[in-house]
Amino acid sequence: MHIDTLDYWVENLELEPHPEGGYYKQTFTSYESITDRELSTDFNGKRSLYSSIYFLLTDKNVSHFHRLKSDELWYFHGGSSLSVHVIHETGEYKEYKLGLDLEKGETPQVLVPKNAIFGSSVAEEDSCSLVGCMVSPGFVFEDFEMFTQAELLKIYPQHKEIIRKMAYEVLPE
């Protein structure tokens, strides 16, 4: 998907800027809800069983490192492949390629487990990637945590290169 189509997708899918980078629109939220009593995650109140968004990212920005209290399943829809960068709770870093070129190691779905620190990027120049993300239990900003480079470098100095690329120097206001 060439970057010239960015305005097309933003306008026609009614996407808005996302605080972590890129553009998004919430598309579905479960009418059913759950509390943390049924789960191994702590949160206040109830959450929908799931929520889903469109997410569009270009090669000109990144989805900055952040963490959720829920699992997030990513689905490739179109355009260039997308790298999902994950620092797992164990401290292991892994790059997952979201796309349709299976011979190049891409996969059409990627699961980011709850409590992992993650972000995404598009490598192909002048391009963008359209994906879907489903979060379960459903996404709320209260369960969303952004990180600075300094915060992550204290914990994961071995991942300095990717942290400098994927984390904010200073959190946006």
Side-chain angles (χ1 to χ4, degrees):
M1 185 181 312
H2 195 272
I3 199 152
D4 290 342
T5 61
L6 173 68
D7 291 337
Y8 172 83
W9 292 112
V10 168
E11 181 180 324
N12 288 285
L13 293 177
E14 300 174 351
L15 304 176
E16 299 176 11
H18 196 291
E20 75 195 42
Y23 302 87
Y24 81 110
K25 179 183 181 179
Q26 185 167 304
T27 54
F28 300 102
T29 301
S30 171
Y31 292 109
E32 296 186 78
S33 61
I34 193 167
T35 69
D36 61 357
R37 290 189 312 255
E38 294 91 3
L39 304 169
S40 62
T41 300
D42 292 326
F43 53 78
N44 295 321
K46 293 182 177 183
R47 299 289 182 270
S48 62
L49 288 179
Y50 67 87
S51 61
S52 185
I53 65 169
Y54 287 128
F55 185 64
L56 182 72
L57 194 65
T58 76
D59 69 311
K60 306 294 186 236
N61 55 28
V62 299
S63 166
H64 291 86
F65 271 144
H66 60 286
R67 176 170 48 201
L68 301 178
K69 291 183 177 183
S70 299
D71 290 341
E72 184 167 20
L73 190 54
W74 291 58
Y75 302 92
F76 183 77
H77 291 311
S80 298
S81 65
L82 183 86
S83 291
V84 182
H85 306 274
V86 181
I87 301 175
H88 292 275
E89 284 189 282
T90 62
E92 174 193 12
Y93 165 75
K94 183 150 183 177
E95 178 181 358
Y96 300 90
K97 295 285 191 177
L98 191 62
L100 299 178
D101 193 339
L102 305 181
E103 287 77 30
K104 288 186 177 178
E106 296 175 5
T107 182
Q109 295 180 8
V110 170
L111 175 67
V112 176
K114 67 181 179 184
N115 298 321
I117 295 168
F118 67 104
S120 57
S121 63
V122 175
E124 188 177 328
E125 194 170 325
D126 293 325
S127 67
C128 55
S129 180
L130 178 65
V131 301
C133 300
M134 187 195 72
V135 177
S136 179
F139 178 85
V140 294
F141 273 102
E142 180 181 329
D143 298 338
F144 174 86
E145 183 180 9
M146 295 285 294
F147 295 94
T148 65
Q149 291 176 10
E151 289 171 322
L152 292 176
L153 288 170
K154 283 183 195 173
I155 305 166
Y156 306 110
Q158 71 273 29
H159 304 310
K160 178 180 179 179
E161 186 177 323
I162 195 65
I163 288 170
R164 293 224 184 273
K165 176 183 177 184
M166 300 300 300
Y168 283 112
E169 285 187 49
V170 178
L171 291 180
E173 293 182 26

